Amino acid sequence: MSSKNSVQRPPVVQPNTGNNIIVNPVQRGNPILECVRNVGKEFGEIVVDYQVGRTTGVLFLSLRYHRLHPEYIHQRIEKMGLAFTLRILLLMCDVSEHQDPIRELTKICLINNITILVAWTPEEAGFYLSTLKQFEHKPPDMIKERQDKDYQSMLRTSLTSISKVNKTDVETLQTSLGNIANVAKASSEQLQNLPGFGQVKVRRLKDAFEKPFRNNA
Amino acid sequence: MSMLLAFHKNILEKIHDPSTNELLLLARGLGMRRIICKLLQIYDSPQSLILLVGASPEEESAIGEELGIMGCKKPGLRIVGFETGKKDRQDLYKKGGLISITSQILTVDMLTSEMPTHLITGILILHAERATPTSPEAFIVRLYREKNKSGFLKAFSDQPEHIISGMSPLRTIMKELQLRTVHIYPRFHQEVIDTLGRDRSSVLQLAIDMTEYMTEIHGAIVQCMTTTLSELKRSNTSLDLDDLNVENAYFRSFDMIVRRQLDTVWHKVGPRTKQLVNDLATLRRLLNYLLSYDALAFHAYLETLIASNTVNDAGNARQNQSPWMLTDAANIIFQYAKRRCYTVTKVAPTVNPQPIHDVDDEDAWAALDEMEGMAAKRPAFPQRAAQRPKWLPDGIEPVLEELPKWSLVAAALQEIEEEMIRRESQLSSRDPGTNTVLIMTSSLRTSQSLNEFLSSMNSDSPPGTEGRKMMESKLRTYFWWKSRLGERKQENKPQGSTHGGPNQNQNQRNNPTSSELGEALKKKDREKQARAASRRRTRGGGPPNAGASRDNPPSAGVPSGPTDGKGPADDSDTIAEFLATQDGDLFLTSVNGGLSQIDFASDFDAFYGLLPAEQTVLIRAYSDDTDELMLAEVQPRYIIMFEPNLDFVRRVEVYKKSNPGLGVRVYLLVYNFSCEEAKYLAGVRREKDAFERLIRERGSMLMPILEERRSESTDSLIKTISSRIAGGRKEINTEPSRVIVDMREFRSSLPSLLHASNLLVVPVTLTVGDYILTPDICVERKSIPDLVSSFNSGRLYTQCELMSVHYKQPILLIEWEEHKSFSLDTVADVKSYAKASNKYPPKKQAAANTDANVSAPTIQSKLVLLTLTFPRVRIIWSSSPYATAQIFNDLKSNNPEPDPLKAITVGAEEDPEVGAGVNTAAEELLRTFPGITSKNVKHVMNKVKSVRELCELSLPAVQEILGVQPGKACYEFIHHGESKR
């Protein structure tokens, strides 16, 4: 009998195998499902709408729906209980009057320890879901302080951190002065003579390089 | 001291009363500064406390100086900047008098009650056009009026063009500044006309044609602008872009118009549109530079522009170049710009390889030419003339076109000289004025090159070549610069052919074949061709001295390091190498000295160049009202305006009237059929329109009713006895609700709005977070550009880490600007990312080396990673600062108030200088250096005073501060490319 059963039943993948996003059947027909790319999807009975990781659950809410059924999200949050470490409310911003609902939801979510992510298009929402899954075990190196880069881009980020200085100016500075040390040494007149450098830009540069870091208050 | 004219006196009479508050709008150039200084002088007294708000550093010092001249010396105008310590500030406020203060400091001091707000006698606000509901000016006025109803408030503006935003811009400003009276004085005001007269014909206009090449370039740039504009219109058909025409595009405010039109849909417009908008700004700049830069500088700027445009951030060839760069017109620009500098003639590779002979040869030619007296007679076409200098590489013929205005200036000076002699007899020594000739230019840069021209001018040369000497020295510097550009290009491509070895390189150096001289920038394939060609040459007809040179290692004097081992790729290297062999020592100095080799007059404040006759020529750049003082001091009889400038024309009018009996002669130099003239006329029209609109608005304006100040007691009482708070069981808390705000946040508008929404704003210096709402809630605010940059620098990670350690409820606030599209910018990028990896697998290979670009993680994926890493960090998505203020109020209700003292100490253990003012620009810059992390940045800032000091430290000293490895990284970054001597 057991063999017969297994033949007839469609192959159901056990939830929590870990490699797929588990989708709550109520989400069937949601356009964002089509936009979840590069990761597998499966349906399963879960308390949230999408389970994208062992400890990560996502509720989905469209603001248009929220406007019609403001009580819905409260029920869902209640059902969710205290499950999951990272609790996310994926908010689809599809109305123009978004300020008040977002404000209200912000408060609710803060009380219930939920993090909000706002998407504006189904593609973006799908992208969030798939990225949440893909990055489940990713170390945070990407957003940590400075990965080593080549000299060019470092120089560019460095000098463009000063306001008014753009990429062309970096090029000019590098070709005419060489390196940061020389830029620091250059006088205002020298800088003024470079093509594209006006008084304001030169002052900004000088401020950044020569003014003391702090006053002695 | 500058004299007051009749209309000045009228204005002063109207506004000097310290019991009234008003806004004064005056046309630029009519002497706003005089009025302000006079007012300050009237009010100056130790018993009063007068604040001057919104003045830029230059204005502050100029006003201070003028007040000094007027006799307000003890103590005069004191300036409060970020360097002024807390104690000093308090002392200053107590002593009273005139104080100029930045709006940020004033806000903070009013909030912390360091400023005795109730004792302020009056505030003068400059640049009132900036006042908007979210601006610091509005915040200041609100704080001021809260505690002080008797003090006066005078606002000033001379920028009517800027008062345009919204339905009733004037009313907005009046409302925010809580004013009810406005005085408008355009140039066409009756009182002004009565004083200055109706006509403006006192200016002698000298028009000159642009050179042929310049005309071509000018036309091409305008054509590029037209193309870009129509492209912009085509891609955004839904928008009302009628305002966008080439004429408007001459002005800087055009960018703002476009941005305002597009802001609401900015997230929908593709990167293409954004690029088009940027391109317009670039083109406008080009147009300006064409008329003011010399030919070489213009060409150099173009080359830099190309270099930065064809290469993307990762150093690879860029896919989507600016569309205008690919047009025929752009080609014209580039071609002609080069042709204005030099032409390249092909020299057969079999040319005599010995440079020495070449030079001898030239000398002989020169001698011959000189004998024939040909030297100066053939200026237009390239020649092997007497001036041909030794350092010039073969095959390059200098053209060195000069700006036509230069010779026009020379001619005008000549005429003035004659005029002076003629008038000499009629003038007695008691007549006012001096024989100084004042030349006004649009920028310091222009005045410098003009000064150079005049001092090195050879007045015997035919028109158009007087500045040959100067241009030649510029050309030399240019070649040196260009060789650097070439080196850079090679560094970008380390995969360049190295198999040629030093042998080939040496040959190349001693045999400077110029056959591939030409464009500085080539596409990759053409570079390869060039490389192949040079290799072939080496193998084939190698010159006889090749073997000998192989034995000589490069001498120490030749700065050849960076080019060693790499095949020569373009002409810039050839030039560099040629120069190196030609004159090692001389060139070396120019390498070491960097730009200092291009020596210019050291002090640009006063350029005195002596001309043959005994007269002085003073060259200045247009600035603001300071020019008035300068005119009054110099008292010139002759003024040459190198470029048209409306403000200055008016200043001259005022100057003339202030000095009756002084015969002033003004020359105005204009290029025929150029944007200069159009720009000038359009500027006049724009100002007139703006004034007319404002006057109309004033006529129909509904006077804003000044809202009653909230009375704090009733408000807080209602809040505290609210029955919702646990039915009154909770003990009544009479403390007003407060938010702790980081000092640095006062540059944004949020603190102002928080204050407006009845929260008490407590400014302190926070180490962790930007806003503390409750003892548990800590908020880090990020605007969208901030968010992107702090994700890139990794700062956000550290900030979230710190917040998570110290607070129970860390929050990241992502705040959009009011009226800007509420959406993350990168939707389009998400799509292209998906496509690149899915739909077009064959492209993958090509993308492999540009993967840094393609797979650049989007902001969304970084956000996801952030939430995964810090599950406790919540995100607030706020569409505007207004929304944020509401949300903050929500979050604060029913929660205990935060303690400022506690908040200051959080995370600040290792920082001894809590509460000191910080130079944020310098800190930001420092943070981008390798080896410096958010953990040691404070330490570094304590060790060295400024970035410059760090740059001047030796390697061991840097390592001592940062540690061995990071110190080395940092040092090498700062001193990149310096030879290790």
Side-chain angles (χ1 to χ4, degrees):
Chain A
M1 176 173 163
S2 66
S3 66
K4 195 184 169 194
N5 245 356
S6 65
V7 169
Q8 278 182 344
R9 226 190 289 159
V12 170
V13 189
Q14 289 302 306
N16 287 333
T17 46
N19 292 326
N20 292 336
I21 293 182
I22 305 162
V23 184
N24 192 326
V26 298
Q27 289 291 318
R28 214 182 286 271
N30 190 335
I32 73 165
L33 273 178
E34 305 231 321
C35 305
V36 178
R37 298 207 179 89
N38 303 332
V39 287
K41 288 163 282 192
E42 61 186 75
F43 286 101
E45 290 296 333
I46 43 173
V47 286
V48 288
D49 289 332
Y50 302 91
Q51 184 174 348
V52 290
R54 199 175 289 277
T55 55
T56 313
V58 179
L59 285 177
F60 176 83
L61 182 67
S62 141
L63 278 183
R64 196 176 291 161
Y65 185 82
H66 181 68
R67 205 161 51 179
L68 294 172
H69 307 278
E71 73 295 338
Y72 164 79
I73 192 64
H74 293 271
Q75 295 163 3
R76 293 305 306 269
I77 290 175
E78 203 175 315
K79 225 202 242 165
M80 191 167 154
L82 293 173
F84 302 107
T85 347
L86 177 57
R87 300 137 64 90
I88 289 174
L89 177 67
L90 184 56
L91 207 57
M92 177 79 112
C93 184
D94 45 10
V95 294
S96 51
E97 292 298 315
H98 45 70
Q99 196 166 322
D100 284 328
I102 286 187
R103 175 183 155 203
E104 173 206 333
L105 286 167
T106 304
K107 192 170 184 198
I108 297 168
C109 288
L110 208 66
I111 293 167
N112 291 296
N113 294 328
I114 296 172
T115 307
I116 299 183
L117 288 176
V118 181
W120 281 266
T121 57
E123 287 88 12
E124 210 181 345
F127 182 78
Y128 272 127
L129 282 179
S130 40
T131 322
L132 273 167
K133 183 70 205 173
Q134 282 171 329
F135 285 1
E136 192 184 351
H137 302 294
K138 200 179 167 81
D141 294 337
M142 194 169 80
I143 52 170
K144 260 194 183 159
E145 216 154 319
R146 189 168 302 111
Q147 314 96 39
D148 266 333
K149 281 178 263 170
D150 61 314
Y151 177 74
Q152 270 321 305
S153 47
M154 273 191 325
L155 185 77
R156 198 173 286 139
T157 34
S158 203
L159 289 173
T160 48
S161 75
I162 305 167
S163 67
K164 296 264 154 103
V165 177
N166 60 31
K167 274 195 285 180
T168 312
D169 300 329
V170 176
E171 198 88 13
T172 312
L173 283 173
Q174 194 178 5
T175 44
S176 46
L177 291 165
N179 54 29
I180 294 261
N182 286 337
V183 176
K185 263 183 259 165
S187 66
S188 312
E189 295 88 74
Q190 287 177 350
L191 292 174
Q192 201 102 54
N193 269 302
L194 300 174
F197 280 71
Q199 278 129 292
V200 181
K201 203 176 281 177
V202 171
R203 198 170 62 234
R204 289 278 152 78
L205 266 173
K206 288 275 114 184
D207 277 358
F209 273 102
E210 290 186 357
K211 280 240 180 113
F213 287 122
R214 356 191 125 186
N215 61 16
N216 303 311
Chain B
M1 194 202 108
S2 38
M3 212 176 82
L4 291 177
L5 298 177
F7 71 92
H8 290 143
K9 284 178 190 149
N10 280 337
I11 295 173
L12 275 171
E13 258 165 43
K14 272 189 193 154
I15 66 168
H16 81 280
D17 185 356
S19 62
T20 57
N21 309 312
E22 54 247 296
L23 171 68
L24 173 65
L25 282 170
L26 189 65
R28 267 193 310 286
L30 288 186
M32 179 70 98
R33 172 119 356 124
R34 275 177 213 207
I35 294 174
I36 291 170
C37 288
K38 192 74 197 165
L39 265 186
L40 285 171
Q41 194 194 9
I42 293 171
Y43 297 140
D44 182 32
S45 120
Q47 276 84 47
S48 58
L49 176 58
I50 307 287
L51 300 178
L52 184 68
V53 178
S56 65
E58 290 81 29
E59 287 171 327
E60 277 174 345
S61 56
I63 291 178
E65 195 181 313
E66 197 160 342
L67 278 172
I69 296 171
M70 290 164 76
C72 283
K73 274 198 181 120
K74 304 181 276 195
L77 183 76
R78 268 83 40 88
I79 293 165
V80 172
F82 92 100
E83 297 97 345
T84 321
K86 206 181 202 176
K87 224 73 244 92
D88 300 343
R89 290 205 303 262
Q90 275 173 331
D91 280 355
L92 268 182
Y93 301 152
K94 266 183 212 140
K95 278 184 196 145
L98 308 176
I99 294 174
S100 172
I101 186 168
T102 64
S103 49
Q104 203 182 332
I105 295 176
L106 179 58
T107 322
V108 171
D109 278 355
M110 278 174 145
L111 282 170
T112 52
S113 304
E114 255 151 50
M115 166 74 71
T117 312
H118 55 286
L119 294 179
I120 297 175
T121 321
I123 297 184
L124 276 76
I125 294 184
L126 303 190
H127 300 291
E129 71 274 0
R130 291 191 206 137
T132 59
T134 51
S135 68
E137 285 83 5
F139 193 14
I140 287 172
V141 172
R142 200 149 11 90
L143 286 170
Y144 175 50
R145 284 303 177 212
E146 208 167 78
K147 290 195 183 147
N148 185 338
K149 293 206 174 64
S150 56
F152 66 79
L153 180 79
K154 316 263 178 205
F156 302 88
S157 171
D158 56 1
Q159 305 268 350
E161 296 97 330
H162 289 232
I163 310 180
I164 38 170
S165 63
M167 285 287 282
S168 47
L170 185 59
R171 190 172 164 269
T172 320
I173 290 178
M174 310 269 294
K175 179 167 166 273
E176 289 314 320
L177 299 179
Q178 306 191 7
L179 298 170
R180 307 205 53 160
T181 333
V182 55
H183 305 287
I184 303 180
Y185 280 84
R187 174 66 177 82
F188 53 83
H189 191 281
Q190 192 56 49
E191 282 173 18
V192 181
I193 291 178
D194 287 347
T195 316
L196 294 180
R198 196 174 288 276
D199 62 322
R200 291 185 181 169
S201 56
S202 51
V203 175
L204 204 66
Q205 185 164 330
L206 300 181
I208 190 167
D209 284 330
M210 289 182 280
T211 63
E212 205 177 310
Y213 290 150
M214 280 172 81
T215 319
E216 290 286 343
I217 297 174
H218 189 279
I221 296 176
V222 172
Q223 200 185 328
C224 284
M225 281 174 106
T226 322
T227 329
T228 314
L229 265 177
S230 55
E231 191 88 359
L232 192 64
K233 280 184 193 165
R234 202 166 44 235
S235 53
N236 298 289
T237 41
S238 59
L239 292 166
D240 168 35
L241 297 177
D242 288 344
D243 276 358
L244 310 189
N245 51 41
V246 173
E247 197 171 82
N248 273 332
Y250 288 152
F251 294 97
R252 191 167 292 183
S253 60
F254 176 77
D255 294 353
M256 277 180 318
I257 301 177
V258 176
R259 275 309 295 263
R260 218 184 6 253
Q261 296 265 14
L262 293 178
D263 257 347
T264 42
V265 288
W266 194 244
H267 64 292
K268 281 187 213 146
V269 307
R272 193 176 163 74
T273 306
K274 287 172 199 170
Q275 196 168 22
L276 288 174
V277 174
N278 280 339
D279 287 349
L280 276 175
T282 314
L283 286 167
R284 185 181 53 235
R285 224 174 301 137
L286 273 183
L287 209 49
N288 186 12
Y289 292 167
L290 171 70
L291 299 182
S292 57
Y293 281 19
D294 59 78
L296 286 166
F298 183 69
H299 182 44
Y301 184 74
L302 276 178
E303 284 187 342
T304 325
L305 205 63
I306 299 174
S308 65
N309 248 296
T310 44
V311 176
N312 63 10
D313 289 349
N316 301 304
R318 203 159 111 171
Q319 303 294 319
N320 46 346
Q321 282 189 36
S322 300
W324 70 269
M325 282 208 170
L326 306 172
T327 58
D328 286 346
N331 193 32
I332 292 178
I333 299 176
F334 299 138
Q335 288 302 318
Y336 282 106
K338 201 173 105 190
R339 222 171 286 174
R340 286 173 74 202
C341 304
Y342 56 83
T343 53
V344 177
T345 47
K346 301 248 172 189
V347 180
T350 50
V351 82
N352 190 346
Q354 300 261 332
I356 303 297
H357 287 195
D358 215 21
V359 173
D360 283 350
D361 225 23
E362 261 177 56
D363 283 346
W365 273 109
L368 202 64
D369 272 357
E370 234 160 353
M371 274 196 290
E372 289 171 353
M374 302 279 282
K377 298 216 171 132
R378 291 176 295 172
F381 51 92
Q383 50 178 333
R384 285 183 91 80
Q387 307 96 315
R388 184 174 172 93
K390 289 176 187 167
W391 46 263
L392 208 59
D394 273 342
I396 288 189
E397 291 295 341
V399 177
L400 304 180
E401 185 180 278
E402 292 166 26
L403 289 179
K405 269 191 188 173
W406 287 349
S407 23
L408 198 61
V409 166
L413 283 175
Q414 189 97 29
E415 192 186 310
I416 288 172
E417 205 177 307
E418 285 159 14
E419 174 78 11
M420 267 180 207
I421 296 169
R422 202 175 56 74
R423 290 216 307 206
E424 196 86 66
S425 51
Q426 303 159 13
L427 290 171
S428 67
S429 59
R430 276 185 297 133
D431 277 319
T434 57
N435 270 345
T436 307
V437 180
L438 181 67
I439 303 181
M440 295 303 289
T441 62
S442 62
S443 67
L444 281 178
R445 193 196 158 83
T446 325
S447 48
Q448 272 175 3
S449 61
L450 191 60
N451 179 53
E452 237 180 303
F453 166 76
L454 288 177
S455 53
S456 68
M457 178 176 82
N458 175 11
S459 44
D460 299 333
S461 301
T465 55
E466 289 108 324
R468 185 82 180 183
K469 215 170 108 201
M470 160 185 141
M471 288 302 280
E472 274 174 2
S473 75
K474 274 189 192 279
L475 180 66
R476 187 165 188 187
T477 331
Y478 166 77
F479 280 147
W480 173 76
W481 172 84
K482 188 144 171 174
S483 68
R484 293 288 296 269
L485 190 72
E487 278 172 29
R488 283 250 303 93
K489 276 187 73 68
Q490 292 213 335
E491 276 171 43
N492 281 347
K493 297 184 182 63
Q495 76 271 24
S497 70
T498 48
H499 48 267
N503 177 14
Q504 179 208 343
N505 219 321
Q506 293 249 313
N507 283 339
Q508 198 60 34
R509 189 172 303 128
N510 282 342
N511 182 18
T513 42
S514 316
S515 55
E516 71 256 30
L517 285 180
E519 304 97 312
L521 304 148
K522 293 180 174 180
K523 296 269 181 276
K524 251 188 190 164
D525 50 348
R526 290 187 58 189
E527 261 172 27
K528 265 181 212 150
Q529 250 173 28
R531 245 177 258 138
S534 65
R535 224 171 289 142
R536 212 175 307 129
R537 223 175 8 256
T538 318
R539 268 186 240 114
N545 67 340
S549 74
R550 194 182 306 155
D551 300 329
N552 298 338
S555 63
V558 179
S560 56
T563 45
D564 256 357
K566 285 167 196 161
D570 58 38
D571 58 338
S572 40
D573 303 301
T574 327
I575 293 171
E577 284 162 17
F578 179 89
L579 290 178
T581 46
Q582 275 281 8
D583 200 349
D585 287 339
L586 224 164
F587 186 66
L588 191 68
T589 52
S590 77
V591 170
N592 287 341
L595 255 197
S596 60
Q597 183 65 19
I598 327 163
D599 52 325
F600 291 121
S602 50
D603 182 11
F604 59 79
D605 245 347
F607 287 125
Y608 294 97
L610 274 180
L611 281 176
E614 297 228 358
Q615 60 173 358
T616 321
V617 179
L618 184 60
I619 307 176
R620 296 291 296 249
Y622 295 122
S623 73
D624 51 2
D625 286 344
T626 320
D627 287 347
E628 259 171 60
L629 195 64
M630 193 258 309
L631 279 175
E633 269 173 10
V634 178
Q635 298 237 320
R637 279 198 204 105
Y638 306 96
I639 299 171
I640 299 177
M641 293 173 70
F642 198 65
E643 274 121 6
N645 181 311
L646 174 63
D647 304 353
F648 196 77
V649 172
R650 291 205 185 122
R651 285 201 180 98
V652 171
E653 283 178 325
V654 173
Y655 162 67
K656 273 187 189 169
K657 282 289 163 194
S658 313
N659 295 280
L662 182 67
V664 185
R665 183 181 280 216
V666 184
Y667 295 87
L668 173 62
L669 311 189
V670 191
Y671 284 118
N672 277 333
F673 312 110
S674 73
C675 69
E676 233 174 30
E677 204 176 2
K679 204 166 146 183
Y680 175 73
L681 294 174
V684 174
R685 202 164 44 243
R686 262 158 48 91
E687 198 209 40
K688 187 165 161 275
D689 289 348
F691 266 124
E692 280 172 354
R693 211 174 40 238
L694 289 175
I695 291 172
R696 227 176 297 129
E697 193 190 328
R698 181 177 60 173
S700 63
M701 186 165 51
L702 300 170
M703 278 301 159
I705 295 173
L706 305 184
E707 57 189 287
E708 268 308 301
R709 296 285 83 213
R710 65 186 189 214
S711 45
E712 278 162 39
S713 50
T714 53
D715 235 17
S716 53
L717 201 63
I718 291 168
K719 197 186 160 206
T720 39
I721 60 171
S722 163
S723 61
R724 294 199 169 202
I725 305 175
R729 259 192 302 131
K730 224 170 168 184
E731 57 192 278
I732 288 180
N733 181 8
T734 45
E735 252 184 315
S737 192
R738 65 169 171 248
V739 178
I740 300 172
V741 183
D742 186 33
M743 294 276 192
R744 279 159 282 200
E745 274 297 307
F746 278 86
R747 279 177 299 175
S748 75
S749 55
L750 185 54
S752 161
L753 295 173
L754 287 178
H755 179 263
S757 68
N758 284 346
L759 286 171
L760 194 64
V761 177
V762 185
V764 296
T765 307
L766 292 175
T767 314
V768 179
D770 291 334
Y771 298 86
I772 312 289
L773 302 184
T774 72
D776 291 337
I777 299 183
C778 168
V779 180
E780 177 70 40
R781 189 188 78 98
K782 293 279 172 213
S783 63
I784 298 302
D786 266 358
L787 185 71
V788 175
S789 73
S790 55
F791 259 133
N792 285 338
S793 69
R795 246 181 112 183
L796 188 58
Y797 181 88
T798 330
Q799 284 167 334
C800 286
E801 208 174 19
L802 277 173
M803 283 201 296
S804 303
V805 170
H806 293 287
Y807 289 94
K808 269 191 211 148
Q809 193 66 273
I811 292 179
L812 168 68
L813 164 66
I814 305 178
E815 191 178 80
W816 275 259
E817 271 169 64
E818 180 80 2
H819 305 306
K820 294 236 169 122
S821 64
F822 177 47
S823 144
L824 281 176
D825 221 21
T826 39
V827 187
D829 299 341
V830 175
K831 272 186 199 155
S832 69
Y833 171 41
K835 263 185 202 159
S837 53
N838 292 342
K839 283 194 182 164
Y840 307 109
K843 263 201 176 172
K844 252 189 175 167
Q845 225 155 20
N849 47 6
T850 59
D851 59 351
N853 180 35
V854 171
S855 68
T858 59
I859 193 96
Q860 281 97 339
S861 53
K862 284 179 180 172
L863 263 179
V864 165
L865 198 53
L866 190 80
T867 51
L868 286 168
T869 322
F870 301 102
R872 260 175 46 218
V873 172
R874 307 275 166 263
I875 303 175
I876 297 182
W877 304 71
S878 167
S879 53
S880 74
Y882 292 102
T884 315
Q886 287 185 341
I887 293 174
F888 276 15
N889 269 310
D890 272 5
L891 298 184
K892 279 194 65 61
S893 61
N894 299 348
N895 279 320
E897 300 300 327
D899 180 6
L901 290 176
K902 221 164 146 191
I904 294 172
T905 50
V906 163
E909 295 85 12
E910 70 275 20
D911 185 16
E913 283 196 65
V914 183
V918 178
N919 178 1
T920 20
E923 195 184 328
E924 290 290 321
L925 178 65
L926 183 65
R927 275 174 190 279
T928 60
F929 289 178
I932 290 176
T933 60
S934 58
K935 296 207 175 64
N936 63 16
V937 65
K938 291 259 156 59
H939 175 66
V940 178
M941 278 164 45
N942 287 334
K943 284 281 177 192
V944 291
K945 274 209 194 66
S946 66
V947 179
R948 181 166 182 180
E949 202 178 307
L950 181 72
C951 293
E952 282 162 2
L953 289 179
S954 63
L955 176 60
V958 177
Q959 283 178 331
E960 196 181 314
I961 297 174
L962 289 173
V964 177
Q965 262 321 98
K968 188 158 176 270
C970 184
Y971 182 84
E972 276 173 0
F973 173 71
I974 293 174
H975 298 267
H976 181 85
E978 272 176 25
S979 48
K980 283 130 197 138
R981 263 165 289 145

